[in-house]
Amino acid sequence: MKNPKSSAIRIAALTLALAFAPFARSQHTGTQGAPKSQGAFDPRDLSGQWSGGLGGGLHSIGKPPALTPEAQAKFDSNTAELKTTGVITTDPTFSCEPPGVPRIYDLGSSLVEMYQSKDRPERIFVFYEVIHTWRTIWMNGRPMPDNGGVPRALGYSLGHWEGNELVVDTTGFSDWGWVNRAGFPHSDALHLVERFRRLDHDHMRLDLTLNDPRAYAEPWKMAVDFTLKPDWDFAETFCRPSESAHFKGSGDLTATDPGTTPAK
C-alpha cells in the first residue's frame, strides 16, 4: 500500500517545480548546451555564478528522518491542503517572507554567485538569484555572536577551510522557515553545516547536514550539484507584497517592472 504522506510530498515537489520552471527557462534560454571549458582552476576559489539546476537543485540524501511530535504537527499543517487541492500555497515564500537556508537552494534554478574579495579576505559573499538575497560567511575565526537570541532567516554563518573544502557552520535561525518546498519545518535549534567543494573548473558540490533535535530524530543530509554558468544573467526577482496574491496562485516570481501599478 502506498504511503499517502509520501505521495503528497512528491505531488508538492512536482507542482512547485513546474511552477518555477517557466520563469527559470525564460531567463536562461539560448545559453544551454554551450560547450564546457575545463581549464586550470584554484580549488579554493569558488568565485563565479553557479546553477544548481532548474526547479531548485536541493535534494535529500536518502529518506527524511523521523519528525518529533511538534515538527510532525507543523508538517501536517503545512501540507494539509494537499489532501484536497494537490498543491501547497502556504509556503512562507509565497507571502514574500525571506527564504532561509537550505530552503533558498530549493527555489528557481538555485542560481548563486560566490564572491571572494582579495581586499576583504575576512568574508565570503553569497548572492542568491531568488528575491535578490545575499549572505555573509565570516572567515576570520570570530566566535558565534551573542545577539540576545535575535532570530535570523539565514542564520549566522562562520566558515573555515579544511583542505580544499569550504566548511560553513550556521546557527541562530528563526523557527518559522521551511527546510524545502515539500513543507518540512525546522526549529530555532537548527544547526546547518555546508561543505562546498569545487570538483573541477565547471562543477561544484555542496553537501549539507541539518541537525535539529527539536524537529528531527537524527541529522538530515542533503546536497546540491552546481555547474558554472558565467554567461547567465541574474534576473530582478523580487516578491513584492502587492504581487503576493498572484505569486500564491501561480508560484511565479515575476521580474519587477517599476511602471506596474501596485494592486490595491
Side-chain angles (χ1 to χ4, degrees):
M1 180 179 295
K2 293 184 178 179
N3 186 327
K5 184 175 295 181
S6 297
S7 298
I9 294 171
R10 286 195 295 270
I11 292 172
L14 177 60
T15 300
L16 292 180
L18 292 175
F20 279 102
F23 168 76
R25 281 198 298 269
S26 65
Q27 62 179 316
H28 299 146
T29 300
T31 60
Q32 297 181 5
K36 296 180 180 179
S37 61
Q38 293 290 341
F41 71 99
D42 178 356
R44 283 199 175 195
D45 182 7
L46 305 181
S47 298
Q49 231 172 220
W50 302 91
S51 172
L54 190 62
L58 184 70
H59 57 275
S60 178
I61 305 298
K63 296 181 179 180
L67 286 81
T68 64
E70 180 181 359
Q72 184 68 56
K74 288 184 177 180
F75 175 78
D76 292 342
S77 175
N78 293 344
T79 59
E81 63 187 321
L82 278 171
K83 299 175 182 178
T84 56
T85 66
V87 297
I88 293 179
T89 62
T90 55
D91 189 327
T93 62
F94 287 7
S95 298
C96 299
E97 298 290 351
V101 184
R103 176 70 176 99
I104 200 165
Y105 294 115
D106 201 25
L107 288 167
S109 61
S110 192
L111 185 61
V112 304
E113 181 168 359
M114 308 281 289
Y115 179 70
Q116 298 173 255
S117 173
K118 293 182 179 179
D119 60 347
R120 304 186 78 176
E122 75 280 4
R123 63 179 71 181
I124 293 176
F125 294 102
V126 186
F127 296 89
Y128 298 91
E129 174 188 41
V130 173
I131 316 182
H132 266 36
T133 305
W134 65 276
R135 174 185 175 203
T136 299
I137 299 172
W138 292 98
M139 300 292 295
N140 56 358
R142 62 171 57 190
M144 196 66 71
D146 178 8
N147 61 359
V150 177
R152 302 166 183 253
L154 296 171
Y156 197 92
S157 299
L158 305 178
H160 65 276
W161 290 98
E162 292 184 3
N164 291 329
E165 192 170 69
L166 174 64
V167 181
V168 182
D169 274 276
T170 306
T171 59
F173 288 100
S174 59
D175 64 355
W176 50 260
W178 288 14
V179 168
N180 57 18
R181 68 182 64 197
F184 283 91
H186 68 74
S187 77
D188 57 6
L190 174 63
H191 175 202
L192 178 68
V193 177
E194 297 161 278
R195 292 180 174 270
F196 295 86
R197 183 172 73 259
R198 191 165 185 171
L199 304 176
D200 55 36
H201 183 274
D202 289 342
H203 301 92
M204 179 173 68
R205 171 82 173 191
L206 169 58
D207 287 295
L208 308 96
T209 301
L210 291 73
N211 192 346
D212 188 346
R214 294 183 188 171
Y216 299 98
E218 57 188 6
W220 187 357
K221 293 185 180 297
M222 298 182 173
V224 185
D225 294 300
F226 289 100
T227 301
L228 189 64
K229 298 292 184 180
D231 297 329
W232 283 11
D233 291 328
F234 269 53
E236 188 178 69
T237 55
F238 294 106
C239 179
R240 296 187 297 177
S242 60
E243 296 177 332
S244 62
H246 164 74
F247 186 32
K248 281 187 177 183
S250 69
D252 182 24
L253 281 171
T254 58
T256 300
D257 178 3
T260 301
T261 302
K264 295 181 179 180

